PDB file of all heavy atoms in Angstrom:
ATOM      1  N   GLY A 640     -17.336  27.941 -26.913  1.00 75.00           N
ATOM      2  CA  GLY A 640     -17.640  26.864 -27.871  1.00 75.00           C
ATOM      3  C   GLY A 640     -16.908  25.579 -27.516  1.00 75.00           C
ATOM      4  O   GLY A 640     -17.467  24.471 -27.616  1.00 75.00           O
ATOM      5  N   ILE A 641     -15.644  25.694 -27.084  1.00 72.00           N
ATOM      6  CA  ILE A 641     -14.880  24.501 -26.681  1.00 72.00           C
ATOM      7  C   ILE A 641     -15.552  23.840 -25.475  1.00 72.00           C
ATOM      8  O   ILE A 641     -15.718  22.624 -25.424  1.00 72.00           O
ATOM      9  CB  ILE A 641     -13.413  24.877 -26.364  1.00 72.00           C
ATOM     10  CG1 ILE A 641     -12.693  25.285 -27.645  1.00 72.00           C
ATOM     11  CG2 ILE A 641     -12.696  23.749 -25.660  1.00 72.00           C
ATOM     12  CD1 ILE A 641     -11.325  25.872 -27.414  1.00 72.00           C
ATOM     13  N   LYS A 642     -15.947  24.665 -24.519  1.00 75.00           N
ATOM     14  CA  LYS A 642     -16.583  24.126 -23.316  1.00 75.00           C
ATOM     15  C   LYS A 642     -17.885  23.412 -23.678  1.00 75.00           C
ATOM     16  O   LYS A 642     -18.162  22.320 -23.175  1.00 75.00           O
ATOM     17  CB  LYS A 642     -16.839  25.277 -22.322  1.00 75.00           C
ATOM     18  CG  LYS A 642     -17.536  24.857 -21.060  1.00 75.00           C
ATOM     19  CD  LYS A 642     -16.670  23.956 -20.223  1.00 75.00           C
ATOM     20  CE  LYS A 642     -17.358  23.673 -18.898  1.00 75.00           C
ATOM     21  NZ  LYS A 642     -16.632  22.777 -18.064  1.00 75.00           N
ATOM     22  N   GLN A 643     -18.686  24.018 -24.569  1.00 76.00           N
ATOM     23  CA  GLN A 643     -19.950  23.385 -24.968  1.00 76.00           C
ATOM     24  C   GLN A 643     -19.709  22.083 -25.725  1.00 76.00           C
ATOM     25  O   GLN A 643     -20.407  21.080 -25.522  1.00 76.00           O
ATOM     26  CB  GLN A 643     -20.777  24.353 -25.824  1.00 76.00           C
ATOM     27  CG  GLN A 643     -21.373  25.505 -25.042  1.00 76.00           C
ATOM     28  CD  GLN A 643     -22.032  26.526 -25.952  1.00 76.00           C
ATOM     29  OE1 GLN A 643     -21.894  26.488 -27.166  1.00 76.00           O
ATOM     30  NE2 GLN A 643     -22.751  27.458 -25.331  1.00 76.00           N
ATOM     31  N   ALA A 644     -18.702  22.077 -26.573  1.00 72.00           N
ATOM     32  CA  ALA A 644     -18.389  20.859 -27.317  1.00 72.00           C
ATOM     33  C   ALA A 644     -17.908  19.766 -26.377  1.00 72.00           C
ATOM     34  O   ALA A 644     -18.262  18.582 -26.546  1.00 72.00           O
ATOM     35  CB  ALA A 644     -17.333  21.163 -28.375  1.00 72.00           C
ATOM     36  N   MET A 645     -17.108  20.123 -25.386  1.00 72.00           N
ATOM     37  CA  MET A 645     -16.643  19.131 -24.429  1.00 72.00           C
ATOM     38  C   MET A 645     -17.811  18.579 -23.618  1.00 72.00           C
ATOM     39  O   MET A 645     -17.876  17.366 -23.347  1.00 72.00           O
ATOM     40  CB  MET A 645     -15.586  19.738 -23.500  1.00 72.00           C
ATOM     41  CG  MET A 645     -14.260  19.992 -24.204  1.00 72.00           C
ATOM     42  SD  MET A 645     -13.069  20.900 -23.220  1.00 72.00           S
ATOM     43  CE  MET A 645     -12.762  19.811 -21.883  1.00 72.00           C
ATOM     44  N   ASN A 646     -18.748  19.438 -23.246  1.00 74.00           N
ATOM     45  CA  ASN A 646     -19.937  18.970 -22.529  1.00 74.00           C
ATOM     46  C   ASN A 646     -20.760  18.036 -23.399  1.00 74.00           C
ATOM     47  O   ASN A 646     -21.279  17.016 -22.927  1.00 74.00           O
ATOM     48  CB  ASN A 646     -20.798  20.156 -22.073  1.00 74.00           C
ATOM     49  CG  ASN A 646     -20.205  20.884 -20.904  1.00 74.00           C
ATOM     50  OD1 ASN A 646     -19.343  20.350 -20.209  1.00 74.00           O
ATOM     51  ND2 ASN A 646     -20.635  22.121 -20.695  1.00 74.00           N
ATOM     52  N   GLY A 647     -20.870  18.378 -24.691  1.00 71.00           N
ATOM     53  CA  GLY A 647     -21.612  17.501 -25.617  1.00 71.00           C
ATOM     54  C   GLY A 647     -20.938  16.156 -25.766  1.00 71.00           C
ATOM     55  O   GLY A 647     -21.600  15.118 -25.847  1.00 71.00           O
ATOM     56  N   LEU A 648     -19.618  16.134 -25.788  1.00 68.00           N
ATOM     57  CA  LEU A 648     -18.868  14.882 -25.899  1.00 68.00           C
ATOM     58  C   LEU A 648     -19.054  14.031 -24.658  1.00 68.00           C
ATOM     59  O   LEU A 648     -19.283  12.825 -24.740  1.00 68.00           O
ATOM     60  CB  LEU A 648     -17.382  15.194 -26.120  1.00 68.00           C
ATOM     61  CG  LEU A 648     -16.443  13.997 -26.203  1.00 68.00           C
ATOM     62  CD1 LEU A 648     -16.791  13.133 -27.412  1.00 68.00           C
ATOM     63  CD2 LEU A 648     -15.011  14.444 -26.272  1.00 68.00           C
ATOM     64  N   VAL A 649     -18.981  14.661 -23.491  1.00 69.00           N
ATOM     65  CA  VAL A 649     -19.107  13.926 -22.236  1.00 69.00           C
ATOM     66  C   VAL A 649     -20.531  13.404 -22.074  1.00 69.00           C
ATOM     67  O   VAL A 649     -20.743  12.253 -21.691  1.00 69.00           O
ATOM     68  CB  VAL A 649     -18.712  14.821 -21.042  1.00 69.00           C
ATOM     69  CG1 VAL A 649     -19.096  14.181 -19.720  1.00 69.00           C
ATOM     70  CG2 VAL A 649     -17.218  15.106 -21.081  1.00 69.00           C
ATOM     71  N   MET A 650     -21.512  14.246 -22.382  1.00 73.00           N
ATOM     72  CA  MET A 650     -22.896  13.871 -22.116  1.00 73.00           C
ATOM     73  C   MET A 650     -23.463  12.929 -23.177  1.00 73.00           C
ATOM     74  O   MET A 650     -24.196  11.998 -22.864  1.00 73.00           O
ATOM     75  CB  MET A 650     -23.781  15.116 -22.012  1.00 73.00           C
ATOM     76  CG  MET A 650     -23.422  15.978 -20.796  1.00 73.00           C
ATOM     77  SD  MET A 650     -24.339  17.472 -20.766  1.00 73.00           S
ATOM     78  CE  MET A 650     -25.739  16.962 -19.819  1.00 73.00           C
ATOM     79  N   PHE A 651     -23.168  13.210 -24.431  1.00 71.00           N
ATOM     80  CA  PHE A 651     -23.814  12.435 -25.506  1.00 71.00           C
ATOM     81  C   PHE A 651     -22.858  11.544 -26.272  1.00 71.00           C
ATOM     82  O   PHE A 651     -23.276  10.791 -27.142  1.00 71.00           O
ATOM     83  CB  PHE A 651     -24.511  13.387 -26.490  1.00 71.00           C
ATOM     84  CG  PHE A 651     -25.504  14.300 -25.818  1.00 71.00           C
ATOM     85  CD1 PHE A 651     -25.271  15.663 -25.742  1.00 71.00           C
ATOM     86  CD2 PHE A 651     -26.668  13.794 -25.258  1.00 71.00           C
ATOM     87  CE1 PHE A 651     -26.176  16.504 -25.131  1.00 71.00           C
ATOM     88  CE2 PHE A 651     -27.568  14.634 -24.648  1.00 71.00           C
ATOM     89  CZ  PHE A 651     -27.338  15.994 -24.580  1.00 71.00           C
ATOM     90  N   GLY A 652     -21.587  11.665 -26.023  1.00 64.00           N
ATOM     91  CA  GLY A 652     -20.618  10.857 -26.745  1.00 64.00           C
ATOM     92  C   GLY A 652     -20.568  11.266 -28.205  1.00 64.00           C
ATOM     93  O   GLY A 652     -20.369  10.437 -29.091  1.00 64.00           O
ATOM     94  N   ASP A 653     -20.771  12.490 -28.449  1.00 63.00           N
ATOM     95  CA  ASP A 653     -20.880  13.019 -29.803  1.00 63.00           C
ATOM     96  C   ASP A 653     -19.513  13.019 -30.467  1.00 63.00           C
ATOM     97  O   ASP A 653     -18.579  13.671 -30.031  1.00 63.00           O
ATOM     98  CB  ASP A 653     -21.446  14.438 -29.720  1.00 63.00           C
ATOM     99  CG  ASP A 653     -21.922  14.966 -31.053  1.00 63.00           C
ATOM    100  OD1 ASP A 653     -21.835  14.229 -32.045  1.00 63.00           O
ATOM    101  OD2 ASP A 653     -22.394  16.119 -31.087  1.00 63.00           O
ATOM    102  N   ALA A 654     -19.372  12.292 -31.572  1.00 59.00           N
ATOM    103  CA  ALA A 654     -18.107  12.213 -32.296  1.00 59.00           C
ATOM    104  C   ALA A 654     -17.835  13.521 -33.035  1.00 59.00           C
ATOM    105  O   ALA A 654     -16.676  13.899 -33.239  1.00 59.00           O
ATOM    106  CB  ALA A 654     -18.141  11.053 -33.277  1.00 59.00           C
ATOM    107  N   LEU A 655     -18.892  14.184 -33.438  1.00 63.00           N
ATOM    108  CA  LEU A 655     -18.731  15.466 -34.113  1.00 63.00           C
ATOM    109  C   LEU A 655     -18.093  16.487 -33.161  1.00 63.00           C
ATOM    110  O   LEU A 655     -17.348  17.357 -33.589  1.00 63.00           O
ATOM    111  CB  LEU A 655     -20.103  15.973 -34.595  1.00 63.00           C
ATOM    112  CG  LEU A 655     -20.125  17.278 -35.365  1.00 63.00           C
ATOM    113  CD1 LEU A 655     -19.288  17.157 -36.640  1.00 63.00           C
ATOM    114  CD2 LEU A 655     -21.545  17.651 -35.703  1.00 63.00           C
ATOM    115  N   ALA A 656     -18.364  16.334 -31.886  1.00 59.00           N
ATOM    116  CA  ALA A 656     -17.808  17.248 -30.896  1.00 59.00           C
ATOM    117  C   ALA A 656     -16.294  17.145 -30.862  1.00 59.00           C
ATOM    118  O   ALA A 656     -15.609  18.130 -30.641  1.00 59.00           O
ATOM    119  CB  ALA A 656     -18.401  16.965 -29.533  1.00 59.00           C
ATOM    120  N   CYS A 657     -15.737  15.928 -31.084  1.00 62.00           N
ATOM    121  CA  CYS A 657     -14.279  15.766 -31.093  1.00 62.00           C
ATOM    122  C   CYS A 657     -13.652  16.594 -32.206  1.00 62.00           C
ATOM    123  O   CYS A 657     -12.629  17.249 -32.006  1.00 62.00           O
ATOM    124  CB  CYS A 657     -13.917  14.295 -31.287  1.00 62.00           C
ATOM    125  SG  CYS A 657     -14.081  13.328 -29.799  1.00 62.00           S
ATOM    126  N   CYS A 658     -14.260  16.536 -33.370  1.00 65.00           N
ATOM    127  CA  CYS A 658     -13.729  17.329 -34.498  1.00 65.00           C
ATOM    128  C   CYS A 658     -13.829  18.820 -34.200  1.00 65.00           C
ATOM    129  O   CYS A 658     -12.907  19.588 -34.491  1.00 65.00           O
ATOM    130  CB  CYS A 658     -14.511  16.998 -35.774  1.00 65.00           C
ATOM    131  SG  CYS A 658     -14.277  15.303 -36.308  1.00 65.00           S
ATOM    132  N   LEU A 659     -14.953  19.216 -33.622  1.00 63.00           N
ATOM    133  CA  LEU A 659     -15.165  20.628 -33.305  1.00 63.00           C
ATOM    134  C   LEU A 659     -14.149  21.104 -32.267  1.00 63.00           C
ATOM    135  O   LEU A 659     -13.559  22.183 -32.402  1.00 63.00           O
ATOM    136  CB  LEU A 659     -16.589  20.851 -32.796  1.00 63.00           C
ATOM    137  CG  LEU A 659     -16.977  22.282 -32.463  1.00 63.00           C
ATOM    138  CD1 LEU A 659     -16.852  23.164 -33.690  1.00 63.00           C
ATOM    139  CD2 LEU A 659     -18.378  22.341 -31.912  1.00 63.00           C
ATOM    140  N   ILE A 660     -13.904  20.278 -31.265  1.00 63.00           N
ATOM    141  CA  ILE A 660     -12.946  20.654 -30.222  1.00 63.00           C
ATOM    142  C   ILE A 660     -11.553  20.794 -30.812  1.00 63.00           C
ATOM    143  O   ILE A 660     -10.838  21.763 -30.533  1.00 63.00           O
ATOM    144  CB  ILE A 660     -12.946  19.615 -29.081  1.00 63.00           C
ATOM    145  CG1 ILE A 660     -14.257  19.712 -28.313  1.00 63.00           C
ATOM    146  CG2 ILE A 660     -11.761  19.832 -28.147  1.00 63.00           C
ATOM    147  CD1 ILE A 660     -14.439  18.609 -27.305  1.00 63.00           C
ATOM    148  N   SER A 661     -11.151  19.879 -31.652  1.00 66.00           N
ATOM    149  CA  SER A 661      -9.809  19.959 -32.225  1.00 66.00           C
ATOM    150  C   SER A 661      -9.676  21.190 -33.129  1.00 66.00           C
ATOM    151  O   SER A 661      -8.631  21.843 -33.145  1.00 66.00           O
ATOM    152  CB  SER A 661      -9.465  18.672 -32.982  1.00 66.00           C
ATOM    153  OG  SER A 661     -10.345  18.492 -34.062  1.00 66.00           O
ATOM    154  N   MET A 662     -10.744  21.517 -33.864  1.00 67.00           N
ATOM    155  CA  MET A 662     -10.688  22.711 -34.730  1.00 67.00           C
ATOM    156  C   MET A 662     -10.614  23.995 -33.886  1.00 67.00           C
ATOM    157  O   MET A 662      -9.869  24.914 -34.198  1.00 67.00           O
ATOM    158  CB  MET A 662     -11.920  22.765 -35.649  1.00 67.00           C
ATOM    159  CG  MET A 662     -11.849  21.738 -36.772  1.00 67.00           C
ATOM    160  SD  MET A 662     -13.238  21.687 -37.934  1.00 67.00           S
ATOM    161  CE  MET A 662     -14.285  22.983 -37.538  1.00 67.00           C
ATOM    162  N   LEU A 663     -11.387  24.038 -32.816  1.00 65.00           N
ATOM    163  CA  LEU A 663     -11.380  25.211 -31.972  1.00 65.00           C
ATOM    164  C   LEU A 663     -10.036  25.393 -31.277  1.00 65.00           C
ATOM    165  O   LEU A 663      -9.500  26.498 -31.201  1.00 65.00           O
ATOM    166  CB  LEU A 663     -12.503  25.142 -30.937  1.00 65.00           C
ATOM    167  CG  LEU A 663     -13.914  25.367 -31.475  1.00 65.00           C
ATOM    168  CD1 LEU A 663     -14.939  25.084 -30.396  1.00 65.00           C
ATOM    169  CD2 LEU A 663     -14.080  26.779 -31.990  1.00 65.00           C
TER     170      LEU A 663
END
């Protein structure tokens, strides 16, 4: 899940991914 969120952040600039990564 962390890896997928990091990929989402890098590819789409998803701000929600930052919150998800920190929670994970």
